[in-house]
Amino acid sequence: MFGVSYIRIRKHYLHLPYLVLGALEFAALFGTFYLLGFVLDQLGAAEANLHTSAGAAFLFALVMSCGTLAMGVYFAMVREGFASMFFRTLVAFCFLGGLALTILYMLIPNVSPGSDKLFWAVLLAIFLVTLIRQIFLKVVDSDQLARRVVIFGGGEFAESLMTDYERNLRASGIRIMGCIPDSATPRVDARHHLPAPTDFYQFCRQNRISEIVIAQQERRKSEGGQLPVEALMECKLRGIDVTDAVAFYERELKKARLELLHPSWILFSDGFKASRSRDLAKRVMDLVISLTLAVVMAPFMLLTALAIVLESGFPVLYSQDRVGARGQVFRIYKFRSMRQDAEKDGKARWASQNDSRVTRVGAFIRNTRLDELPQLWNVIKGEMSFVGPRPERPEFVEQLKDQVPFYNTRHYVKPGLMGWAQLNYPYGASIEDARGKLEYDLYYTKNHSIVMDFLIMIQTVEVVLLGKGVR
C-alpha cells in the first residue's frame, strides 16, 4: 500500500498515507451524517428528507475535512501525540466546522439538519475519526508497510538527514534503515552504520529496500568517497529508486536543504517556470479574496484603529520599505503594534521574543494577525499576493544576500501575506532563521501553484488561532 509514499499534484508533493487517511475520514464523515439522517427517518423525525440528503452529507464532510487541515491535525498527530491531536480535532469540528456550517446553513437553509442533529453528527464524527487515526498510526508504523530507505553517505549531510528523519519522518511511511558510510571518518552515529555491500542489488532485495538516497559529502577517491555508479545503476534499472538528497528533502520534508544546493538545481529542475496563465489566475484570486476580506473585516479594522489611538495615540498605521518581486522596493502598511519611538535612531532591528517595544494592544493584534490587515491594500495594488514569501526590509536583504546562498531567488515570485515558510518555520529574527525560512521559500518558489496556495491558506488558520510564530 505504501510502496510509493507520495504523489505529486501540480508539482507539490503530498504524502500518500495522509491522502489515504483523509479519504477514509471524508468517507466516515459522509457516512456518519447520512446514516444518522437515515436512522432519524426510521424514528419518524421531522424533515426527514433533509437529513438523508447526499448533498448535505457531502457539505458536512467537506467542511469538517477543511477544518482538520486548517488545524494541522495530521502533523500534530505525528509530532505532538494524542492529546494535541484530540484538542485540535475538537477545535476543528466544534469551533471551525460548527461556525462554518452555521454560516452556510444561514445561506442555504434547505440543507440544514437542525442544531440538535448537527450536535450528534459532530459528536459521532469526533469519535469515528479519532478511532480511524489511532488505527492509521499503528498501520503506518508497521515495518511490513513502510517504505524502507538506505542512505549512501556518512558525513554531515547524512547526519542532518538522519536527524530530520528522527524528528519528522518516522510516521510518514518511511523507514531509514541506516547509512552506508562513504569515508573512514563518518559523522553519523555508529548505531546507524550499515556495512558496505559487495552486491548492492542483492542487499536491497534481501532487506526489502525500496530506495537508496545519495547523501555523499566527499566523492574524491583519496577520501574513500567514490560513488559506486555501476552498482547503483543496476539497482535503478531493476526497480529500486536511487534519489539524491536534495530531491529526497524536497519530496519528504517540503524544503530545499541549502547545504546541498548547486546552481544546476535551479537550471535543470522541472520547477522555477514562469507561467502567464498561472499568474493571471493568481491575480484574479488575490483580488477576489482581498476585496471580500476587506469588506468582511472592516468593522474589526475600525475597532483595531480605535484601540491603538486610545492606548498610545496616533499614528494608527505603520509603514516600512520592503523588497518585492524582482527586487522592487515598495511600501508595506500595518497597524502600529510598537511604540512610536521603536526605531528612533533610524536603525533596522530584528524583532525579539517578548519585545519590550510592543504595546499591549500591539501584542494582541500581533497574536491575532489583525496588524497585517492593512496589507490587503498592497495585495489590491498588486505589490503583494495573498500567498508568497514574506517580504523583508531592504537593509536586511542586503545583509542576507551576502551571507545566505540563493537568497535572491525568493524575489522571483511576489511576496505574500502568508507563506509556506510561515507554516513550517518559527518567526525569523536572525540570519540563521533567515536560512531556515529560505529552505521553505525555495521549495515554494520552485513548486508554487494555485492548488498549493489554497492549501497554504487553509493551513494558515492554525497559525492565526494558535498564535504560532509571533514576536
Side-chain angles (χ1 to χ4, degrees):
M1 181 178 179
F2 298 116
V4 177
S5 63
Y6 63 92
I7 63 172
R8 204 174 185 192
I9 299 177
R10 303 294 296 172
K11 295 190 286 188
H12 181 49
Y13 292 100
L14 298 173
H15 280 118
L16 183 58
Y18 293 103
L19 287 177
V20 172
L21 175 60
L24 289 173
E25 288 188 7
F26 187 92
L29 292 167
F30 181 93
T32 297
F33 193 95
Y34 194 87
L35 291 175
L36 180 62
F38 178 78
V39 171
L40 292 170
D41 289 353
Q42 300 305 307
L43 295 176
E47 299 179 355
N49 61 315
L50 300 182
H51 304 318
T52 55
S53 164
F58 180 85
L59 181 64
F60 176 81
L62 180 64
V63 168
M64 293 304 177
S65 296
C66 288
T68 297
L69 284 175
M71 284 305 299
V73 172
Y74 296 138
F75 292 108
M77 179 173 66
V78 174
R79 298 174 183 173
E80 301 173 15
F82 177 83
S84 177
M85 180 272 288
F86 188 71
F87 167 74
R88 289 169 186 259
T89 301
L90 289 178
V91 175
F93 284 13
C94 299
F95 176 67
L96 291 180
L99 181 62
L101 285 171
T102 300
I103 295 171
L104 287 170
Y105 291 153
M106 290 172 61
L107 299 174
I108 319 171
N110 65 322
V111 299
S112 174
S115 58
D116 55 336
K117 315 304 185 300
L118 182 61
F119 170 79
W120 286 110
V122 170
L123 198 64
L124 286 171
I126 292 172
F127 172 77
L128 276 177
V129 298
T130 302
L131 180 63
I132 290 170
R133 289 168 191 165
Q134 290 299 97
I135 296 172
F136 168 83
L137 285 176
K138 293 184 182 298
V139 170
V140 173
D141 197 50
S142 170
D143 285 337
Q144 299 300 314
L145 296 175
R147 183 177 176 84
R148 295 160 73 89
V149 174
V150 162
I151 298 173
F152 185 84
E156 183 182 352
F157 298 160
E159 181 186 41
S160 174
L161 191 52
M162 287 300 301
T163 300
D164 281 330
Y165 164 71
E166 293 290 340
R167 290 175 181 169
N168 302 306
L169 289 177
R170 289 202 60 84
S172 65
I174 293 288
R175 285 292 171 276
I176 295 183
M177 309 312 296
C179 300
I180 300 172
D182 60 333
S183 70
T185 56
R187 292 188 52 169
V188 176
D189 193 295
R191 63 193 173 93
H192 297 305
H193 289 185
L194 295 172
T198 54
D199 188 322
F200 266 82
Y201 177 69
Q202 289 302 323
F203 167 80
C204 292
R205 276 195 63 186
Q206 292 167 8
N207 293 279
R208 296 186 293 111
I209 302 300
S210 302
E211 184 174 13
I212 302 170
V213 178
I214 309 301
Q216 267 195 316
Q217 190 152 351
E218 179 56 73
R219 300 185 182 182
R220 293 176 298 175
K221 292 182 181 180
S222 60
E223 295 288 337
Q226 187 177 22
L227 193 67
V229 176
E230 291 188 6
L232 293 173
M233 283 177 61
E234 180 186 11
C235 291
K236 177 79 171 182
L237 293 171
R238 298 183 72 171
I240 296 166
D241 291 338
V242 179
T243 310
D244 68 85
V246 176
F248 187 81
Y249 261 107
E250 185 180 346
R251 189 186 78 211
E252 299 296 339
L253 292 169
K254 312 297 186 299
K255 66 179 181 179
R257 189 73 178 186
L258 280 181
E259 290 85 350
L260 300 171
L261 298 186
H262 298 281
S264 59
W265 177 69
I266 296 176
L267 290 174
F268 303 121
S269 74
D270 62 349
F272 298 106
K273 291 181 179 178
S275 169
R276 290 187 177 181
S277 59
R278 182 192 61 208
D279 291 344
L280 177 60
K282 186 165 183 171
R283 179 62 181 146
V284 171
M285 183 178 74
D286 286 341
L287 284 172
V288 171
I289 294 176
S290 57
L291 289 170
T292 302
L293 199 57
V295 172
V296 172
M297 298 301 294
F300 297 96
M301 288 193 276
L302 288 173
L303 289 173
T304 299
L306 180 61
I308 292 170
V309 170
L310 290 176
E311 182 187 35
S312 55
F314 290 97
V316 169
L317 295 178
Y318 176 65
S319 63
Q320 279 182 339
D321 284 339
R322 296 290 174 101
V323 178
R326 309 295 191 275
Q328 295 295 314
V329 177
F330 68 98
R331 201 76 177 164
I332 199 173
Y333 298 95
K334 302 173 74 172
F335 282 120
R336 181 172 57 82
S337 60
M338 291 187 175
R339 303 190 311 264
Q340 291 93 330
D341 62 349
E343 290 183 353
K344 57 186 177 182
D345 56 2
K347 293 182 180 180
R349 293 180 175 84
W350 298 101
S352 59
Q353 189 71 40
N354 299 319
D355 200 315
S356 61
R357 297 173 295 169
V358 177
T359 64
R360 286 175 298 176
V361 169
F364 175 77
I365 63 176
R366 282 188 170 206
N367 275 309
T368 55
R369 296 304 198 277
L370 288 170
D371 64 321
E372 309 281 359
L373 287 176
Q375 290 168 51
L376 292 172
W377 175 239
N378 296 109
V379 177
I380 293 169
K381 288 172 66 180
E383 296 166 332
M384 292 176 65
S385 178
F386 219 75
V387 179
R390 287 295 293 159
E392 195 50 85
R393 300 175 70 174
E395 301 92 333
F396 294 145
V397 169
E398 289 302 313
Q399 182 183 8
L400 293 167
K401 280 195 305 185
D402 296 332
Q403 300 187 43
V404 181
F406 302 103
Y407 189 80
N408 251 351
T409 307
R410 72 196 295 273
H411 296 133
Y412 281 87
V413 295
K414 258 185 201 177
L417 276 171
M418 56 189 73
W420 187 239
Q422 280 62 51
L423 288 179
N424 293 282
Y425 197 88
Y427 188 96
S430 68
I431 291 175
E432 192 55 40
D433 285 340
R435 291 175 64 90
K437 288 175 60 180
L438 180 61
E439 294 182 338
Y440 293 102
D441 284 335
L442 286 174
Y443 177 88
Y444 178 82
T445 303
K446 179 176 183 283
N447 301 301
H448 71 103
S449 66
I450 299 299
V451 172
M452 188 177 181
D453 285 356
F454 273 118
L455 289 173
I456 290 172
M457 283 189 278
I458 291 172
Q459 293 175 67
T460 299
V461 174
E462 176 199 2
V463 176
V464 175
L465 288 181
L466 301 184
K468 293 172 65 177
V470 176
R471 291 195 180 184

